[in-house]
Every structure is written in structure tokens, then in C-alpha cells.
Amino acid sequence: MGQNPGMSSLPVEWRIERSVGLRDLNTFGLPATAKALVRIRSDADVRRVLDHPELGRLPKLVLGGGSNLVLTRDPPGVVLRVEVMGRRLVEERPDAWIVEVGAGERWHDVVAWTLDQGWPGLENLALIPGTAGAAPVQNIGAYGLELMDRFESLDAVDLVTGRSVTLDARACAFGYRDSVFKRSGFGGLAGKSLITRVRLRLPRPWQPMLGYLDLERKMAETGQSAPNARTVFDWVCAIRREKLPDPQAIGNAGSFFKNPVVTPEQCRDIIARDPHLVHYPMPDGSCKLAAGWLIDACGWKGKSIGRAAVYERQALVLVNRGGATGAEVVTLARAIQASVYGRFGIRLEPEPVVV
Ligand SMILES: Cc1cc2nc3c(=O)[nH]c(=O)nc-3n(C[C@H](O)[C@H](O)[C@H](O)COP(=O)(O)OP(=O)(O)OC[C@H]3O[C@@H](n4cnc5c(N)ncnc54)[C@H](O)[C@@H]3O)c2cc1C
């Protein structure tokens, strides 16, 4: 079994940190302050918060790596920073390796570690920032693969009752950049539970997923038509480094809008007016449109409102030019939505969670 030495963690003191600046805890670099912040390293840590006379009744914001968040204000209540660690192989089946990781592990480290252990299957999701625990929240996806394609189950703690539960893929109700953890209202679990561990299913034998334009280009450039998992990992990292701004250098939250899905009629209608529309036919007959193309077509690339701007190399990414506030990012996002709606009749839906 591939046990990680980090799994046998020593007990760490549970404490409440007061007035914690969050600028360095979100990749957009937006200013906000947590009145109270508690680092969560186990299910028991969550229950300590719920049983606490002051914190127990306050609203709770679960925070991973802060790479899919727009902070527009100081979060009300207490911030729970997820730092549950550990990685291990839980089962070796003829058809798959089942791997369990703590929710606080960095997602990219998990991808690299599984590859190092000889359990490939996550390479298309390399270099996505954030934690393993947040990966199911929006069913992260890239280069033709989504988390749901490699998901086995997860453990979470109910933020009201303190009960630990295990959920399978069906209960998570995954969709495109969506899951039960992003939905509020009846049946939704947004803000209601904290994921502590995620189990991944890495299929055997390994099959490369190469049906994505950028990867097809890499195959053509290198002449390698049957790359191994390590090569796919390296290609994905190289493509991402070229296309996306590094949050260490320029604050951002990756793609700011989901790619809208429209009916074939809507798609034909837009193509009649804009023949260059970038679109992808879906198996169910609908059509996915490239949100970045729609934004670019409205002339937004490189434009800014205050210190928030549209990245000049990829219109789908909004960036912090330095010192932006969450309000500026939201104002820019709304202006983009209005012009895309005005020209194409399509409502763009933000991908990050706005607090
Ligand atoms: C440069 C860049 C590139 C990106 N590329 C991609 C990409 O290719 N594909 C993609 O899908 N995403 C991408 N993202 C978005 C982001 O990396 C992912 O959504 C990631 O999974 C967020 O992880 P996080 O730990 O930072 O979550 P956070 O931003 O901390 O939280 C996001 C949401 O999840 C909730 N949450 C976090 N952890 C938990 C938990 N343990 N339990 C319950 N709820 C939790 C939070 O409350 C919040 O609502 C990119 C972001 C950046 C900055």
C-alpha cells in the first residue's frame, strides 16, 4: 500500500485566529478580513467549531485554496480553512486503483503523486490550483476530463449536525462545473457541509484522453501519437503555463464564466450572424459556446474597470491589475454579462463563488 508518512499526523492545537487578512488566502488577491478563522485538520475539528458557544451559531465559510472565490466583503461569521492532509492507496482492484486524499492536499500535488506512484489517470487535470476537497465542489475539469470521471466517493461533515457522511457520485449530482455542493435551496449542500476526504478511481488499464484540440496539436508538433501519462502531464502543464496567468504574478480565479450551452437552433441563429462563432457540438445535440470568444467579440479583451481587467491573452479570465476590490471584479463581470447578452442574447454564468 502506498501510505504517505504525512498520514500519521500529530495532534495540532485547535484555536481561533482573530482578524485574519484573507488577501493572501485567495488567488485573486482581493482584500477581506475574517473575524474568526479556524484551521480544520480532522472531522473532530469541525465538531469543535459546531459545539463552540460563540462560533457554533455563526455563519460558516469553507475555504480551500481560495482559487475559485471572489471576496466582495468580509465573510460573516467564521472561516473554516480546510487543512485535512493525507494520501493513501485504499484498494487495488483488477479494474482500478482507489486512492484517498485529505481535502486540504493541494490538487496538483495529488495529480503528480499518483503519477509518481504508477497510478495514472489524473494527468489531464494537472496544474489546476486549489485543494483536493474543493475539486468535487465544481466538478473540476480540463482537457476533456472531469473529476466525476475519476470519482469514487467522499467524506463530509454536516455543518449543522456535525455528523460525518459518505457520498457517492450520484449523491454529489455532478454537472458541468457544478455539483450538489454548489447548489443552494432544497436538496442543495452549498455552505452546508465540509468535505474532509475524497476517494478517486484510477482505471486500469490506463487509456490516454487526447481528444482535445491543444493535445492533438502537441501530438502533431512532437510526432508522438501514443504518449504515456507522464508526457500528457507535461503537455498539459506546458499548455496551461502558456495560456493562463500565474496567480502568484497576476491575481485571478481562472475562467470567470462557464461556457454557455445552447440549443442547435440558437447556435445556428448566432452563426448566421457571426460565422466565426467558436462552438462545440455536444452528444445530446446541444451546442457549447466558447464564452471567451463571445467576450472577445464584444471587445472586452484587455479592458478594465478600476483595477479589475480582462486578461489580454484570454478574454475568459478576469485579473487583478493590483489593488482591485471584489466590487470592481463584480462590476466588470456584470458589464461583460450585459454586453454579451445585448449582442448574442446569451446570459453568461460566473464560475467562481461570489462571497
Ligand atoms: C489559474 C487558474 C486556473 C484554473 N483552472 C481551472 C480548470 O482548468 N478547471 C477548473 O475546473 N477550475 C479551474 N480553476 C478554478 C479552481 O482552481 C478550482 O475550482 C478549484 O477546485 C478551487 O479549489 P480551492 O481549494 O481553491 O477552492 P476555494 O476557492 O477555496 O473554494 C471554492 C468553493 O468551494 C468551497 N469549498 C472549498 N473547499 C471545500 C471543502 N473542503 N468542503 C466543502 N466546500 C469547499 C468553498 O466554500 C467555495 O464555495 C482555476 C483557477 C485558477 C486561479
Side-chain angles (χ1 to χ4, degrees):
M1 292 257 165
Q3 185 91 22
N4 181 315
M7 206 73 195
S8 55
S9 55
L10 293 167
V12 188
E13 197 197 341
W14 184 94
R15 67 191 177 95
I16 306 166
E17 295 169 49
R18 305 281 179 182
S19 292
V20 180
L22 298 176
R23 197 193 294 266
D24 293 339
L25 298 183
N26 74 97
T27 60
F28 238 124
L30 300 172
T33 302
K35 287 176 210 71
L37 182 143
V38 176
R39 293 172 195 275
I40 301 295
R41 294 171 175 117
S42 65
D43 293 33
D45 281 352
V46 182
R47 287 190 272 275
R48 281 191 195 106
V49 172
L50 302 181
D51 292 342
H52 190 272
E54 177 205 343
L55 304 186
R57 31 188 192 87
L58 296 180
K60 290 157 193 83
L61 172 69
V62 181
L63 178 65
S67 63
N68 212 29
L69 274 186
V70 181
L71 294 171
T72 61
R73 59 184 174 141
D74 295 343
V78 54
V79 171
L80 305 179
R81 180 96 204 281
V82 181
E83 297 185 357
V84 181
M85 306 309 278
R87 311 169 192 163
R88 63 186 186 114
L89 180 69
V90 285
E91 200 184 341
E92 198 171 340
R93 296 184 199 155
D95 64 335
W97 291 281
I98 309 295
V99 167
E100 181 182 270
V101 293
E105 292 280 346
R106 264 177 37 139
W107 173 258
H108 177 72
D109 294 347
V110 170
V111 176
W113 171 73
T114 48
L115 208 51
D116 289 344
Q117 300 294 316
W119 313 319
L122 298 176
E123 53 286 340
N124 293 47
L125 302 179
L127 227 53
I128 296 181
T131 56
V137 174
Q138 78 151 2
N139 180 28
I140 56 168
Y143 302 96
L145 188 72
E146 289 183 312
L147 181 89
M148 62 186 276
D149 302 321
R150 300 286 182 261
F151 180 83
E152 176 75 5
S153 62
L154 60 77
D155 298 336
V157 183
D158 185 305
L159 287 175
V160 176
T161 63
R163 230 175 277 144
S164 296
V165 291
T166 296
L167 303 184
D168 61 10
R170 203 184 149 95
C172 292
F174 292 119
Y176 165 57
R177 299 298 174 276
D178 196 28
S179 78
V180 71
F181 301 100
K182 247 186 152 180
R183 277 171 236 148
S184 354
F186 184 72
L189 290 178
K192 291 184 187 156
S193 55
L194 185 148
I195 298 164
T196 48
R197 277 170 299 276
V198 179
R199 281 171 291 278
L200 303 160
R201 184 177 359 95
L202 308 173
R204 302 168 74 180
W206 174 78
Q207 299 269 355
M209 303 273 295
L210 299 166
Y212 201 92
L213 191 63
D214 284 330
L215 292 173
E216 282 169 5
R217 273 201 201 115
K218 281 279 179 200
M219 284 195 288
E221 268 167 38
T222 59
Q224 286 193 58
S225 56
N228 62 21
R230 172 68 58 186
T231 302
V232 176
F233 173 90
D234 290 341
W235 284 352
V236 169
C237 291
I239 296 164
R240 292 185 68 99
R241 286 200 176 100
E242 213 171 279
K243 281 194 155 180
L244 292 165
D246 175 2
Q248 303 281 0
I250 311 172
N252 75 94
S255 304
F256 199 91
F257 297 101
K258 295 184 187 182
N259 289 321
V261 178
V262 299
T263 62
E265 296 73 41
Q266 273 176 300
C267 195
R268 272 197 296 274
D269 182 48
I270 301 173
I271 291 170
R273 286 177 284 134
D274 285 280
H276 301 297
L277 175 77
V278 178
H279 63 287
Y280 313 94
M282 304 295 283
D284 65 358
S286 61
C287 226
K288 193 181 267 187
L289 309 183
W293 187 91
L294 300 172
I295 299 166
D296 197 10
C298 293
W300 278 103
K301 210 182 252 180
K303 297 270 166 60
S304 50
I305 289 186
R307 307 294 302 156
V310 180
Y311 190 47
E312 48 286 315
R313 285 161 67 185
Q314 165 57 275
L316 192 50
V317 178
L318 304 192
V319 295
N320 181 349
R321 286 261 162 262
T325 60
E328 285 174 328
V329 173
V330 169
T331 305
L332 176 62
R334 288 202 182 124
I336 292 169
Q337 282 171 312
S339 58
V340 168
Y341 186 72
R343 172 153 174 195
F344 298 103
I346 289 169
R347 289 184 202 282
L348 289 182
E349 200 187 319
E351 195 181 289
V353 175
V354 178
V355 174

